[in-house]
């Protein structure tokens, strides 16, 4: 059904039951918004999107008001502009003036809006609310002073991630975004997925930066700084430097890291390949003995924390294999260092991840060998961009280079870990080999590549039918976990990625990316898989070499000692 | 404490979120305040995140998270009470009890709460102490009342 | 105090209500009904007005004293609880009715007056100094020297449709309500009318919402009736929360069944099988009375399954709001019932389409619903003839503040506002009426010149006021208007839900501006004056944006007190800003203190306490205060034993 409405004196077509805002946007008319998030229903809280509708007493929020036949709308009348400016000035009157020092400087929706509405002086001033900075979590920092109470973080945490750590607390001008009983974040149910950070329009939520730790290590002559970067980082960094979204700049990253002064540069994908071998072997054994099924993936640290808190009953079902980051960390300090004649204590191991929860994972007690952390510091894709800028490196003119040997080589199966379904695809390629002794004729499993929130896939290995379930977006897992705990799920493998779409959409990725950009990243990973010669992890010669020299074989006692762990119930305020 | 809350929750078996407020009200009637334990138990009972229970409870005037004092002093601050001198009454109370709205004194003797309007405008300014009302209050009378309570 | 209806009574009333025309039947049974109305009695009856208002005046002590008196003296008399007559300043009140004599009302009966009054009254001697009036009962003998109630101007100037039973009947006994035609409207509706027909009668009455919005009631009902759904809800908003408004509470406490009957009719009109009364937890007595009333209505089969054999089922539950002003807004109220933070939501969709649990829901204020039984009994046209063409019926106001008689009055729409002030006895002697604040925290001020405005939704808006829910505060010249506005803004700021920016931060900044105007700055110079002046300009522009863009009615109307006072009391703002003077002497910081040389003994107490050493002098001779150094803290006045310190 079509409706005719008049906007700024021009007739446009609208669809019945759509909001004014959607009609405007579809017709190329821009109205600023602040509290709305794509994919979630409007809540009309910020009032920035108000428009003037003839015949209505007050201004109307375009995000939530449906179009009506013959509506006459003004989107930028003096009354509207004045209202928007006043609303923004009110927000700014309670906002710190430290833009220059802010995490989100130049990347802030509030700042952009102030520019758009041409706010050039502090017209409204008053007492600012006093808040305490919450630095308790290794992953996410809460700076309530910068919070504009748009509620996006609350909604993503509750409606999309199903974690519900955050909620509005108190009322009126005393309202804050808080946790249960106003506890610090590390006592809360937060899983550090970082999706709240991704939707926060200001610097009120951001990652706990480890950049300074990395810089200190780089400047320390007694330390060898080894770096690894996650599979999805190479296809996500480009956007930070104005390069087309999704472009794989693997070589450029190697070159830049080397220039910055990292002693050894490795690709976490190597660790992912090892994880594939270990997980495939573990899964094969579980299928053979028909025990501890379905096996849950263990590569996502936010998911692990979720399970520990919300459903400890399923912990025994989670693969005991560490995540690729931690596998890399272990191998670097326990295998690479001795092999190269370096004292592991002298190594400072840095991981660059698309993820905030990886920061939490790196400092878990389980992730140490003889009291030495497997990974010393984790920085996000965003922090990597800052590091590159800090060292004055021009990404555009730098010559691509290879990573270091021996942990630089990878298969494209490991690279797939960057997307939802990728871990399953990689593991099943190797599982096929382990179970049948033969390679898959067509390694690409297209069924695993569509981006759904939850998906069940049947895969045939030999004459055995196996079922895998993919879950991405933590909010989709609750009913599944209940069924698993009740023993009603007959699947063999369940891959869980906390972030919708997997690591390409991780909480440590560049800000302001569109859905299209995220898709481009995944597409780029699939393209790498198309052209790569080594498509299965067990054919990565460096991995095989590592096993020969160090861990004997996947699933061996040695690999259990170094690469596997167990998790226990975690008591937090749920 | 735990068993008391649990037995109280039994009255609300198979209820959903819409009984959250009645549940919290009953717990507060019983315990005098909402303890962290209570919030956690209610969360488990209703299968709700505690953050949302806490968020809800902090929204409404009724709920408190620390016990009331032995003497719970409520000051009406409706319009009539305001124009007839509720402000000085409140100021005097804050001075005498050394606590502010919503607080409980350290010795647990007094707690103070400002009410929006108790609807007894003819008796303005009015306060109540443990449910007993005192209307048409003057500074002098208030002083006597509080001094007397402090003796106990 | 519990009065349970006997099976015989129950049978009688059930039969009455099951008559083909219950209204006609109740006329036919007038003689029997008189028994329940205590027209003819065999032993003395003492009525004690017990409401949340009289409770504070000590009515429960009076009640206990009456009981004690009767036990001690051995007098055989019934003690009956009644509600409020609306004369709050005359509380506690007791009525005494002797067989064959008119029921007489005594005022301000504090416990110590109980014995002298009852000693007299029970022995046919009236202590007239305590008597307020007596009810005209033609078959009984009047008391000499006591006016009839209907002669008292407070009562005869009102039109008490909603309050007709208040203070007269026992709110805890359903037969009192039934004996006055109660529930006949519900019985009639269930027997004779379709859902839509009920809506049409209300449409004809032109009844408009009494919560403040003035939205046509029937329009809401029809919208919900026409919405297709497996479940509909009807909610009675009884969460009265405007500061200074107490009419809903007293109505519910004095005549709870009227509200329940109205609610049941409304629920039937939209085809809802579930209804909720949302009142406030801390209104203890209201909750108690409503709970009792609901229980009795269920007991008589007036609620529940297959009401009066009509096939219609209705459950009414009582929910106790945990306290938030914003829950008076219907979408916020609905969120609260769902167990969420009471934050309003954008409309459309309207609750009548998508309300409680996503189902069509009507939310009506209790006063709106209390009108419904009468409308059904007497017809829409009859009701529409009361008041003005667009604002029909009556309106209850609670009048308080700087007034001789804090009271509850019910007047026809169209009555001049000045009449309400007059009914409340005007301002105390020697004072001047300054303004009449109407509409609570979101209302405005009528000044003496506009006081003859007609009480009518549109007429009030024309002079920049709004009806509000019925709270009226009278302000005299001892009240500072800036302080008043600051009070309301403080309230709004505290009660704003915090969801939308204009209301949350706008109210906060407006409050700060007002605080700046009334605060004594540390260093007074031109710049500060300019800042304060700029503040006032911001007040107006902030007010405009708040009204234009806030999500719900709370924010949209919150600037009203500011706008209204800026209009009528601009010079008072200017005095505060430029002259640093508060003419009413309310703004503490702006006071300048002086020492009365006649009274000062030179005791040095003030000089020793002054935090800025602004008081100098020689001991044993009068001291004086250096104006420039004085910060207006008032410590000197507090410590002076000779009342020698005063301020201007």
């Amino acid at each position: 059904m079509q409706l005719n409405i008049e906007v700024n004196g021009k007739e446009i077509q609208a669809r019945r039951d759509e909001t004014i805002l959607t009609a405007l946007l579809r017709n190329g008319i821009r109205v600023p918004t602040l509290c709305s998030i794509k994919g979630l229903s409007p809540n009309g809280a910020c009032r920035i999107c108000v428009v003037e509708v003839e015949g209505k007493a007050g201004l109307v929020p375009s995000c939530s008001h449906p179009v009506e036949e013959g509506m006459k709308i003004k989107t930028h009348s003096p009354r509207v502009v004045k209202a928007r400016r006043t609303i923004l000035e009110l927000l700014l009157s309670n906002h710190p003036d430290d833009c220059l020092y802010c995490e989100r400087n130049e990347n802030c929706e509030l700042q952009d809006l102030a520019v758009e509405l041409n706010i050039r002086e502090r017209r409204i001033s008053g007492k600012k609310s006093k808040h305490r900075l919450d630095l308790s979590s290794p992953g996410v920092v809460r700076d309530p002073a910068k919070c504009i109470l748009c509620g996006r973080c609350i909604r993503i945490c509750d409606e999309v991630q199903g974690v519900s750590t955050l909620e509005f607390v108190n009322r009126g001008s005393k309202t804050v975004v808080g946790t249960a009983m106003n506890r610090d974040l590390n006592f809360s149910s937060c899983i550090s997925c970082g999706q709240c950070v991704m939707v926060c329009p200001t610097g009120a939520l951001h990652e706990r930066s480890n950049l300074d730790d990395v810089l200190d290590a780089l400047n320390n002559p007694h330390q060898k700084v080894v770096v690894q970067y996650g599979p999805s980082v190479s296809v996500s960094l480009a956007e930070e430097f104005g390069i087309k979204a999704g472009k794989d700049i693997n070589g450029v990253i190697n070159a830049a890291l080397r220039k910055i002064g990292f002693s050894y540069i490795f690709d976490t994908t190597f660790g992912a390949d090892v994880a594939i071998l270990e997980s495939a072997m573990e899964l094969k054994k579980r299928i053979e003995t028909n025990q501890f099924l379905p096996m849950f993936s263990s590569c996502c640290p936010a998911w692990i924390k979720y399970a520990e808190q919300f459903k400890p009953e399923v912990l025994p079902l989670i693969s005991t294999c560490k995540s690729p980051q931690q596998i890399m960390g272990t191998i670097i300090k326990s295998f690479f260092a001795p092999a190269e004649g370096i004292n592991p204590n002298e190594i400072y191991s840095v991981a660059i991840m698309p993820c905030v929860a990886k920061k939490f994972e790196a400092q878990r007690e389980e992730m140490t060998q003889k009291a030495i952390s497997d990974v010393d510091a984790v920085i996000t894709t965003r922090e990597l961009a800052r590091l590159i800028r800090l060292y004055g490196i021009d990404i555009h003119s730098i010559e691509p280079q290879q990573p270091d040997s021996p942990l630089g080589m990878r298969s494209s199966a490991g690279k797939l870990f960057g997307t939802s379904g990728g871990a399953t695809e990689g593991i099943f390629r190797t599982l096929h080999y382990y179970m049948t002794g033969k390679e898959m004729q067509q390694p690409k499993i297209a069924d695993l590549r569509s981006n759904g929130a939850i998906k069940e896939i049947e895969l045939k290995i030999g004459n055995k039918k196996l079922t895998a379930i993919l879950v991405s977006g933590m909010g989709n897992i609750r009913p599944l976990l209940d069924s698993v705990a009740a023993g009603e799920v007959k699947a063999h493998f369940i891959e869980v990625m906390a972030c919708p779409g997997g690591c390409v959409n991780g909480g440590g990725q560049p800000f302001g990316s569109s859905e299209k950009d995220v898709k481009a990243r995944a597409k780029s990973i699939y393209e790498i898989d198309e052209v790569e010669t080594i498509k299965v992890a067990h054919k990565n010669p460096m991995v095989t070499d590592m096993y020969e020299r160090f861990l004997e074989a996947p699933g061996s006692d040695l690999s259990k000692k170094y690469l596997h762990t167990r998790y226990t119930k975690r008591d937090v305020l749920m | 404490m735990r068993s008391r809350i649990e037995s109280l929750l039994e009255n609300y078996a198979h209820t959903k979120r819409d009984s959250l407020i009645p549940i919290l009200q009953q717990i507060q009637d019983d315990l005098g305040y909402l303890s962290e334990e209570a919030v956690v138990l209610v969360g488990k009972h209703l299968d709700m995140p505690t953050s949302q229970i806490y968020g809800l409870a902090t929204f409404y005037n009724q709920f408190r998270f620390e016990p009331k004092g032995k003497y719970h002093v409520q000051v009406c601050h409706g319009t009539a009470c305001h124009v007839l001198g509720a402000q000085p009454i409140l100021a005097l109370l804050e001075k005498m009890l050394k606590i502010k709205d919503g607080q409980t004194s350290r010795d647990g003797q007094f707690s103070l709460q400002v009410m929006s309007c108790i609807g007894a405008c003819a008796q303005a300014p009015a306060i109540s102490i443990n449910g007993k009302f005192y209307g048409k209050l003057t500074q002098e009378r208030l002083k006597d009342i509080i001094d007397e309570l402090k003796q106990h | 105090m519990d009065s349970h209806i006997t099976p015989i009574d129950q049978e009688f009333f059930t039969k009455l209500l099951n008559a083909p025309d219950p209204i006609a039947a109740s006329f036919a049974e007038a003689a029997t009904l008189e028994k329940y109305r205590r027209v003819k009695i065999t032993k003395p009856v003492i009525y004690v007005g017990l409401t949340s208002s009289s409770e504070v005046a000590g009515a429960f002590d009076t009640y206990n004293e009456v009981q004690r008196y009767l036990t001690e003296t051995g007098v055989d008399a019934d003690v009956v609880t009644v509600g409020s007559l609306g004369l709050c300043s005359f509380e506690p009140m007791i009525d005494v009715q002797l067989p064959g004599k008119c029921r007489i009302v005594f005022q301000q009966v504090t416990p110590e007056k109980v014995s002298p009054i009852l000693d007299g009254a029970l022995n046919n001697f009236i202590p007239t100094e305590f008597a307020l009036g007596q009810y005209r009962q033609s078959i009984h003998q009047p008391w000499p020297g006591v006016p009839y109630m209907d002669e008292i101007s407070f009562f005869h100037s009102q039109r008490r449709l909603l309050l007709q039973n208040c203070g007269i009947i026992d709110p805890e006994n359903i037969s009192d309500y039934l004996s006055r035609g109660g529930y006949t409207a519900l019985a009639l509706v269930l027997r004779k009318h379709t859902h839509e027909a009920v809506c049409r009668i209300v449409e004809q009455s032109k009844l408009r919402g009494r919560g403040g919005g003035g939205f046509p009631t029937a329009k809401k009902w029809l919208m919900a009736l026409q919405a297709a759904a497996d479940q509909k809800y009807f909610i009675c908003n009884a969460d009265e929360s405007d500061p200074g408004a107490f009419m809903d509470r007293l109505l519910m406490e004095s005549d709870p069944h009227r509200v329940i009957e109205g609610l049941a009719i409304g629920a039937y009109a939209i085809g809802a099988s579930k209804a909720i009364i949302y009142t406030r937890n801390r209104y203890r007595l209201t909750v108690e009375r409503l709970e009792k009333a609901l229980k009795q209505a269920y007991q008589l089969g007036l609620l529940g399954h297959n009401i009066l054999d009509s096939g219609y089922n209705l459950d009414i539950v009582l929910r106790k709001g945990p306290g938030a002003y914003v829950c008076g807004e219907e979408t916020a109220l609905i969120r609260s019932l769902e167990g969420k933070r009471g934050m309003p939501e954008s409309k459309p969709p309207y609750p009548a389409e998508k309300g409680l649990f996503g189902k069509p829901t009507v939310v009506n204020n209790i006063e709106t619903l209390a009108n419904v039984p009468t409308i059904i009994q007497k017809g829409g046209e009859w009701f529409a003839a009361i008041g003005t063409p667009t604002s029909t019926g009556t309106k209850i106001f609670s009048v308080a503040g700087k007034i001789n008689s804090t009271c509850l009055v019910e007047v026809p729409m169209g009555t001049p506002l000045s009449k309400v002030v007059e009914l409340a006895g005007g301002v105390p002697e020697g004072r001047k009426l300054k303004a009449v604040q109407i509409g609570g925290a979101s209302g405005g001020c009528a000044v003496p010149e506009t006081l003859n405005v007609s009480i009518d939704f549109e007429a009030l808006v024309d002079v920049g006021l709004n009806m509000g829910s019925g709270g009226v505060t009278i302000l005299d010249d001892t009240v500072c208007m800036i302080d008043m506005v600051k009070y309301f803004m403080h309230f709004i700021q505290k009660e704003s839900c915090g969801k939308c920016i204009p209301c949350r931060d706008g109210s906060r900044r407006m409050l700060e501006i007002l605080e700046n105007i009334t605060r004594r700055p540390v260093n007074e110079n031109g710049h500060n004056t300019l800042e304060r002046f700029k503040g006032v300009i911001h007040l107006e522009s902030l007010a405009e944006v708040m009204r234009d863009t806030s999500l719900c009615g709370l924010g949209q109307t919150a600037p009203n007190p500011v706008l209204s006072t800026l209009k009528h009391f601009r010079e008072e703002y200017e005095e505060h800003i430029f002259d640093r003077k508060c003419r009413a002497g309310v703004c503490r910081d702006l006071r300048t203190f002086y020492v009365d040389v006649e009274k000062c003994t030179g005791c040095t107490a003030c000089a020793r306490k002054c935090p800025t050493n602004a008081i100098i002098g020689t001991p044993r001779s009068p001291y004086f205060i250096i104006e420039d150094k004085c910060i207006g803290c008032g410590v000197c006045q507090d410590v002076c034993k000779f009342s020698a310190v005063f301020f201007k």
Side-chain angles (χ1 to χ4, degrees), chain C residues 89-157:
Chain C
S89 290
F90 295 90
E91 286 167 343
M93 291 172 116
I94 67 171
D95 303 358
V96 178
Q97 188 181 1
L98 302 181
K101 297 279 253 176
C102 289
R103 177 171 166 183
I104 182 165
V105 183
F106 295 96
Q107 45 151 326
Q108 287 177 311
V109 187
T110 43
E112 70 276 8
K113 289 187 197 156
V114 168
S115 289
I117 289 175
L118 291 185
D119 277 344
L122 293 171
N123 293 303
N124 278 321
F125 165 75
I126 286 299
T128 36
E129 68 270 32
F130 302 129
L132 179 81
Q134 59 185 324
Y135 289 99
R136 198 187 290 277
Q137 286 167 313
S138 51
I139 54 166
H140 296 322
Q141 198 189 353
W143 294 91
V146 177
Y148 283 117
M149 292 295 273
D150 53 23
E151 288 168 356
I152 300 172
S153 75
F154 177 76
F155 291 103
H156 82 75
S157 309

Side-chain angles (χ1 to χ4, degrees), chain A residues 418-440:
Chain A
T419 65
S420 162
T424 312
E425 194 167 346
I427 290 170
F428 272 76
R429 286 180 191 175
T430 295
L431 183 67
H432 188 277
Y433 174 75
Y434 282 170
M435 288 178 66
T436 64
K438 282 182 281 191
E439 297 295 338
M440 288 169 82

